[in-house]
Amino acid sequence: MRDLHKSSVLGSKHGSLMSWRPQYRSSKFRNVYGKAASREHCFDGIPITKNVHDNHFCAVNARFLAIVTESAGGGSFLVIPLEQTGRIEPNYPKVCGHQGNVLDIKWNPFIENIIASCSEDTSVRIWEIPEGGLKRNMTEAVLELYGHSRRVGLVEWHPTTNNILFSAGYDYKVLIWNLDIGEPVKMIDCHTDVILCMSFNTDGSLLATTCKDKKLRVVEPRSGRVLQEASCKNHRVNRVVFLGSTKRLLTTGVSRWNTRQIALWDQEDLSMPLIEEEIDGLSGLLFPFYDADTHMLYLAGKGDGNIRYYEIGSEKPYLSYLMEFRSPAPQKGLGVMPKHGLDVSACEVFRFYKLITLKGLIEPISMIVPRRSETYQEDIYPMTPGTEPALTPDEWLSGVNRDPILMSLKEGYKKTSKIFKAPVREKKSVVVNGIDLLENVPPRTENELLRMFFRQQDEIRRLKDELSQKDIRIRQLQLELKNLRNSPKNN
């Protein structure tokens, strides 16, 4: 069994007799601790969706918190300004234009009031949230994107390019949308089952995916070419995350003994994981989160109350366990605040927004480096990807790669108001890779089927009326013609 337990990894240098003794490491993150927000700084009274799809159902940025809610007849989500903590009214306005359950939501990293959602109704939609949040229900999206033939489970924004969005559907396809024109421009068609997770490397030149077909893939997104593929027989992969620019990947999954485990991979050689490590025997999905600035990895199990965290190094044993944040309340999913939304004065290096379904509560959890000094801590806040895109869609699609534009957190975050300009489109066929994606798109939900049925019934009734009107007119003209022929003038 190749699963390397921490003790055996750490003990290998000291001989087997000392394998129980943890190796001492000096690290500035050794004492990082998690701090849950007080009740008045939580978001309360939220009917969090009961959908069992393995997503976070939550997205957060420096201005808004978005949560997918339980709703009858179609899908909806809430968008709440971050400062509006406390109890949320039951009739609080929602974004509710989808005809089926919403399965994923993600904020645009460069335009802070633009959010993408995808749904069981096979559509991806782009919404523009007004300045101070919603004052009434929002049903009109700025863009409705149709191209998948089955429900859409995942959306991801490109990390360095403005207005490039990836969506993964239950039709096993990944579509790349150029929102400047509002159409899919590429299709990645290498998966043989449902795609579970997508992750980009730092400059967005590579896409890693995990799939129900038990394969981990590294794909060149523009060509759709699979560069590396691992058949994970011993480690059934669920989630994957690129570890910044280290050329490494981390996956979470299940061992052949049905225990939860993580595996570390070299992105250029997926034939064998660098290490595999068992975590525990629980059954909930493990969500990995990586912070490239601090080289810290956070692991949070769906249905667990705790969040473990590790430091990732460039040499063996690669993974050093730091500590765990514990809480009795199980999490359904977790949103993560972008770096520029953190409180640097409190030495906060990461912030989760934890969905606690049973209480209808969203609880912020801050990961804090304990420091006495009040001054800005340069060493824990290196330059970090900011809110400016490095590329236009045309540049990226033509093959250009560029690292993110970095910003310093020292000056504090300034809200910028960039505008999203929706393209004007005519309804027409959508052809990608020679396939018309909109041909024969089936009705997406029972509601839609009924609506289509009633529309067709109305159309049939209208056509029947038209036909009988024409019959009457024909008979009138025939009579007039007969009368003309029989009139005395014509004799």
Side-chain angles (χ1 to χ4, degrees):
M1 178 172 136
R2 282 178 29 266
D3 301 23
L4 297 181
H5 290 278
K6 213 167 324 12
S7 57
S8 60
V9 171
L10 297 175
S12 57
K13 291 183 182 174
H14 307 285
S16 57
L17 288 172
M18 295 177 69
S19 64
W20 51 269
R21 183 178 294 171
Q23 191 178 349
Y24 178 77
R25 294 172 51 263
S26 80
S27 160
K28 56 186 143 190
F29 302 112
R30 212 180 41 201
N31 297 316
V32 166
Y33 65 95
K35 183 182 175 191
S38 59
R39 192 70 187 230
E40 63 268 22
H41 291 110
C42 294
F43 299 83
D44 201 355
I46 294 170
I48 299 165
T49 178
K50 295 186 177 64
N51 196 302
V52 295
H53 190 71
D54 280 331
N55 269 357
H56 291 293
F57 298 113
C58 174
V60 64
N61 66 16
R63 293 166 77 174
F64 298 110
L65 170 68
I67 306 110
V68 179
T69 58
E70 194 59 25
S71 64
S76 62
F77 57 96
L78 286 170
V79 175
I80 305 163
L82 275 191
E83 58 278 6
Q84 201 179 320
T85 53
R87 191 151 193 85
I88 303 300
E89 291 304 311
N91 55 356
Y92 194 87
K94 294 182 176 73
V95 178
C96 50
H98 280 287
Q99 270 94 45
N101 287 322
V102 174
L103 298 180
D104 198 12
I105 46 176
K106 294 273 164 49
W107 289 104
N108 182 322
F110 309 116
I111 311 175
E112 296 210 296
N113 64 333
I114 295 291
I115 189 166
S117 62
C118 62
S119 161
E120 288 181 350
D121 67 9
T122 79
S123 76
V124 175
R125 298 187 189 203
I126 310 298
W127 309 87
E128 188 170 14
I129 306 301
E131 260 311 297
L134 299 181
K135 299 288 176 275
R136 60 183 68 83
N137 281 355
M138 181 179 270
T139 54
E140 290 297 312
V142 282
L143 270 180
E144 287 184 23
L145 307 171
Y146 287 101
H148 288 285
S149 58
R150 294 185 65 191
R151 60 185 165 163
V152 189
L154 296 169
V155 282
E156 287 292 343
W157 294 91
H158 191 273
T160 61
T161 310
N162 195 24
N163 283 345
I164 290 280
L165 182 74
F166 284 57
S167 62
Y170 276 61
D171 49 9
Y172 314 158
K173 292 175 177 54
V174 176
L175 293 182
I176 306 176
W177 304 86
N178 177 356
L179 303 188
D180 280 359
I181 58 170
E183 287 181 12
V185 283
K186 303 272 178 192
M187 177 165 67
I188 300 170
D189 195 8
C190 58
H191 299 88
T192 60
D193 207 326
V194 175
I195 298 138
L196 302 172
C197 183
M198 298 190 282
S199 175
F200 289 101
N201 65 344
T202 309
D203 66 2
S205 60
L206 296 175
L207 176 72
T209 64
T210 56
C211 180
K212 258 197 176 155
D213 63 13
K214 301 188 178 67
K215 286 185 179 169
L216 167 66
R217 294 173 175 86
V218 173
V219 181
E220 199 293 310
R222 283 164 290 216
S223 63
R225 203 157 52 89
V226 179
L227 305 178
Q228 284 287 326
E229 187 174 278
S231 283
C232 307
K233 297 201 167 52
N234 298 338
H235 167 79
R236 203 162 65 244
V237 286
N238 280 323
R239 289 290 178 276
V240 61
V241 63
F242 265 102
L243 301 179
S245 45
T246 62
K247 301 206 164 181
R248 301 245 162 88
L249 294 161
L250 183 122
T251 57
T252 66
V254 181
S255 74
R256 61 166 98 179
W257 324 108
N258 270 350
T259 55
R260 298 198 290 193
Q261 62 175 188
I262 52 178
L264 190 67
W265 308 79
D266 176 343
Q267 76 182 34
E268 283 160 4
D269 178 12
L270 297 185
S271 57
M272 290 273 281
L274 297 167
I275 58 165
E276 284 177 339
E277 186 162 321
E278 308 253 325
I279 299 299
D280 57 29
L282 299 176
S283 60
L285 176 84
L286 270 182
F287 291 117
F289 303 90
Y290 181 65
D291 178 359
D293 297 348
T294 59
H295 307 294
M296 282 175 70
L297 169 77
Y298 299 87
L299 290 180
K302 188 175 176 180
D304 301 2
N306 60 342
I307 300 169
R308 296 175 175 86
Y309 39 106
Y310 302 76
E311 201 167 1
I312 298 216
S314 53
E315 290 161 14
K316 276 189 172 174
Y318 303 121
L319 271 179
S320 306
Y321 174 75
L322 292 171
M323 230 194 296
E324 103 181 49
F325 166 80
R326 293 191 171 180
S327 149
Q331 57 232 3
K332 183 184 179 76
L334 293 155
V336 171
M337 173 62 77
K339 277 279 165 169
H340 60 266
L342 297 179
D343 181 358
V344 294
S345 65
C347 294
E348 182 184 40
V349 288
F350 214 73
R351 191 191 305 157
F352 292 104
Y353 283 76
K354 171 174 167 173
L355 275 64
I356 305 170
T357 319
L358 298 172
K359 298 181 182 173
L361 191 71
I362 313 294
E363 178 183 64
I365 298 164
S366 298
M367 308 308 293
I368 291 168
V369 180
R371 293 270 166 107
R372 285 205 175 86
S373 169
E374 296 296 305
T375 57
Y376 180 71
Q377 307 288 310
E378 208 84 47
D379 62 327
I380 59 174
Y381 297 116
M383 297 283 279
T384 192
T387 55
E388 287 300 319
L391 292 164
T392 65
D394 290 345
E395 285 174 319
W396 183 76
L397 289 164
S398 70
V400 181
N401 294 320
R402 239 178 250 149
D403 281 331
I405 294 174
L406 303 181
M407 68 185 280
S408 163
L409 300 181
K410 190 170 187 172
E411 305 312 314
Y413 163 68
K414 294 172 190 64
K415 288 184 182 174
T416 54
S417 10
K418 290 182 217 128
I419 309 288
F420 176 76
K421 195 167 173 298
V424 179
R425 298 180 303 161
E426 294 105 49
K427 287 267 187 280
K428 59 177 189 301
S429 64
V430 174
V431 179
V432 180
N433 298 16
I435 299 164
D436 185 350
L437 298 175
L438 292 187
E439 191 178 45
N440 305 326
V441 171
R444 289 165 278 278
T445 59
E446 203 175 317
N447 282 352
E448 195 159 332
L449 199 62
L450 282 169
R451 273 211 301 279
M452 198 180 261
F453 170 75
F454 289 127
R455 262 205 313 273
Q456 287 173 342
Q457 292 299 308
D458 287 347
E459 183 70 356
I460 290 166
R461 206 172 295 121
R462 192 182 62 73
L463 289 169
K464 276 183 174 169
D465 284 350
E466 217 172 283
L467 209 59
S468 66
Q469 292 298 324
K470 282 182 175 156
D471 274 353
I472 292 166
R473 185 80 189 113
I474 287 166
R475 279 204 295 277
Q476 279 176 336
L477 288 168
Q478 280 173 335
L479 273 171
E480 281 172 32
L481 198 64
K482 202 175 175 183
N483 289 341
L484 273 170
R485 284 192 185 131
N486 294 339
S487 70
K489 282 179 195 169
N490 293 340
N491 290 336

